[in-house]
Amino acid sequence: MATLTLADCRDEIERLHEFFVAWYTGETGDFEPMAAAIGSDFEMVSPDGDRIGQEAVLEMVRETHDAYDPGEFDIDIRNVEMVDAGDGYAVPRYEEWQTTPEGENGRLSTALFHTDTEAPAGLSWVTVHETWVEREDEN
């Protein structure tokens, strides 16, 4: 197995979050890019500390289809860095800033990817752990 690079991870993080923007604004109805990206044992730890399994995450995303008008929701991915990488896996960390009609919120996220030839970008999301962060000018 090959070692996943920072570029591989950044591309996948941006690809999936571009899907979220298109999904949440109704610009796409194709759910396959999401379903194919996360592994069957996927688990997410939300910014509030809730552990959410793969099926619940998929259902949560499905239920939010077309929740915003186009232009009302956006995600900006910032400061992607590699925590660790090895044969067939990578652990990237990144900031995710969401803009909604209610304002902006940020999360610091750490993910685990495994190589997966059947996943859209050749890697699969195994887990992601998100923590709320405040904008620097709000401190």
Side-chain angles (χ1 to χ4, degrees), residues 45-48 96 106-110 129-134:
V45 178
S46 76
D48 294 323
E96 173 186 340
R107 309 141 199 255
L108 180 63
S109 300
T110 304
H129 187 143
E130 300 180 333
T131 303
W132 292 119
V133 294
E134 293 183 14

Side-chain angles (χ1 to χ4, degrees), residues 102-117:
E102 293 78 36
E104 184 180 60
N105 65 71
R107 309 141 199 255
L108 180 63
S109 300
T110 304
L112 171 61
F113 293 140
H114 282 174
T115 55
D116 182 347
T117 57

Side-chain angles (χ1 to χ4, degrees), residues 77-139:
I77 300 299
R78 302 177 192 164
N79 303 317
V80 180
E81 62 183 343
M82 187 69 78
V83 175
D84 192 23
D87 193 23
Y89 78 92
V91 180
R93 181 181 303 131
Y94 58 95
E95 293 177 28
E96 173 186 340
W97 291 90
Q98 294 186 7
T99 304
T100 69
E102 293 78 36
E104 184 180 60
N105 65 71
R107 309 141 199 255
L108 180 63
S109 300
T110 304
L112 171 61
F113 293 140
H114 282 174
T115 55
D116 182 347
T117 57
E118 295 183 22
L123 53 94
S124 178
W125 293 72
V126 177
T127 189
V128 65
H129 187 143
E130 300 180 333
T131 303
W132 292 119
V133 294
E134 293 183 14
R135 288 180 22 178
E136 288 184 19
D137 61 350
E138 291 179 352
N139 293 331

Side-chain angles (χ1 to χ4, degrees), residues 27-40:
E27 295 174 3
T28 187
D30 181 8
F31 194 70
E32 186 58 24
M34 170 69 186
I38 66 173
S40 60

Side-chain angles (χ1 to χ4, degrees), residues 1-78:
M1 283 187 204
T3 299
L4 296 168
T5 67
L6 178 60
D8 296 331
C9 294
R10 181 183 298 114
D11 289 350
E12 173 58 11
I13 292 163
E14 290 175 352
R15 183 199 68 78
L16 188 61
H17 288 81
E18 287 168 4
F19 161 80
F20 289 142
V21 171
W23 181 259
Y24 295 155
T25 59
E27 295 174 3
T28 187
D30 181 8
F31 194 70
E32 186 58 24
M34 170 69 186
I38 66 173
S40 60
D41 293 333
F42 176 82
E43 182 178 75
M44 172 184 169
V45 178
S46 76
D48 294 323
D50 299 319
R51 292 173 60 175
I52 308 166
Q54 185 237 29
E55 283 301 318
V57 168
L58 292 174
E59 187 59 29
M60 182 174 60
V61 174
R62 277 189 195 101
E63 290 175 356
T64 56
H65 184 249
D66 202 20
Y68 297 99
D69 289 332
E72 283 189 345
F73 178 80
D74 196 24
I75 298 175
D76 184 25
I77 300 299
R78 302 177 192 164

